[in-house]
Amino acid sequence: MLFRNSNLQEAIEAVQHHQCGLEAANNAYITALQNYAASLPSSRGQLAVQDLLKRTPQVYELLICLNSAKTLEIDRTYGTSSGAELTKMMLNFSVNHHRGAVLVHNHPSQGSLSDSDWKILFSYHGVKEIVAVNSSGSVFSGKITTSTTVGSTPTELINPQDNSATVKQNIDYKIAGNSLPNVDMQMCKDVKHLISHLVNEHYDTKGIISYSATLSNADNAILNDVKFAPILNAIRTEITLLIP
């Protein structure tokens, strides 16, 4: 195998630029279609273009695999709307190198590591670390603790739906039922991409996994803005109720 010299920072920048580039292309595509629809005299033509807008291209994942020293790129691949699958070369490398692979990818959701990401760490003994990056520059990193048995996923992570998605649903229900004072749907929309970060911090506190994050200025500003304190407190309470 011939691997390319690389490092973690290069991989992080690659997946972030991939994310930002696709977002820019996506926005340009939407704007072009909207302008075209507005120029059409026919309502049927406008409806046809509106139908195209419902099928707007999505921002997909770029997955890069590095060696454990983060000095070589083993392979890279592009995913679909459901994520990116490990390539044969990535799998072979991870099989032959215990905890020898580091996975770096962008998150179109803008969120932190998902429960699906954690399950990869627990399923493949060759994966040492998994890193997710969003377009604002936040970097989320996860490892499993030394006391964890590979192949034995913690009960907190075996739910069919990500815990962060469950938390979001529960918060939405409470907002709709007016049971959360000083909180509205717009506030929830503004912070929803950070729910998975808060869930992962909770996992880390409980010792389920080892988690760290370097947040962008934009994401830090949200977490430190007093305006969002009510919704963030409600999210943290919901996480504790879901994962006691």
Side-chain angles (χ1 to χ4, degrees):
M1 295 181 182
L2 295 176
F3 302 136
R4 187 178 71 85
N5 289 332
S6 185
N7 57 56
L8 181 60
Q9 187 56 39
E10 285 184 3
I12 287 172
E13 290 179 3
V15 298
Q16 183 184 359
H17 291 318
H18 169 83
Q19 168 99 9
C20 292
L22 283 178
E23 287 178 0
N26 209 48
N27 292 335
Y29 174 86
I30 293 171
T31 300
L33 280 181
Q34 289 173 335
N35 291 339
Y36 178 63
S39 71
L40 294 175
S42 164
S43 60
R44 287 186 179 180
Q46 291 175 353
L47 287 174
V49 176
Q50 290 298 323
D51 190 53
L52 271 177
L53 283 168
K54 295 176 184 177
R55 294 166 173 77
T56 300
Q58 301 297 308
V59 178
Y60 297 146
E61 287 185 8
L62 165 61
L63 173 63
I64 297 176
C65 178
L66 303 175
N67 65 338
S68 61
K70 303 170 186 174
T71 56
L72 295 173
E73 179 179 319
I74 308 307
D75 198 12
R76 64 173 59 193
T77 187
Y78 298 89
T80 65
S81 56
S82 58
E85 298 289 333
L86 273 67
T87 66
K88 184 177 180 180
M89 187 174 292
M90 293 177 187
L91 289 171
N92 287 341
F93 183 85
S94 66
V95 167
N96 294 322
H97 299 79
H98 180 71
R99 293 292 172 213
V102 175
L103 303 178
V104 184
H105 66 304
N106 63 297
H107 262 185
S109 67
Q110 306 294 340
S112 180
L113 299 170
S114 65
D115 287 359
S116 297
D117 289 328
W118 291 116
K119 288 171 185 174
I120 290 176
L121 282 173
F122 286 102
S123 300
Y124 297 101
H125 78 274
V127 179
K128 171 186 178 182
E129 181 180 1
I130 190 162
V131 178
V133 184
N134 69 16
S135 57
S136 73
S138 290
V139 179
F140 312 99
S141 175
K143 302 176 183 178
I144 64 174
T145 60
T146 55
S147 60
T148 305
T149 303
V150 177
S152 177
T153 304
T155 56
E156 293 89 348
L157 296 172
I158 61 175
N159 298 326
Q161 177 172 265
D162 273 15
N163 284 319
S164 55
T166 301
V167 169
K168 170 68 167 55
Q169 285 181 352
N170 293 346
I171 291 293
D172 285 347
Y173 291 146
K174 290 183 177 181
I175 293 174
N178 297 314
S179 60
L180 290 178
N182 304 314
V183 171
D184 57 36
M185 284 295 188
Q186 183 57 52
M187 292 172 66
C188 188
K189 182 179 179 181
D190 291 339
V191 305
K192 70 176 183 179
H193 69 285
L194 291 171
I195 292 177
S196 53
H197 167 64
L198 298 177
V199 168
N200 288 331
E201 285 191 326
H202 185 69
Y203 288 159
D204 184 81
T205 300
K206 288 176 61 67
I208 299 170
I209 46 80
S210 176
Y211 173 74
S212 63
T214 302
L215 298 181
S216 65
N217 290 336
D219 286 341
N220 257 321
I222 291 173
L223 290 180
N224 292 299
D225 190 332
V226 294
K227 176 180 71 175
F228 295 116
I231 181 68
L232 292 171
N233 289 335
I235 289 169
R236 290 186 175 100
T237 299
E238 199 62 41
I239 291 170
T240 302
L241 291 173
L242 181 65
I243 314 161

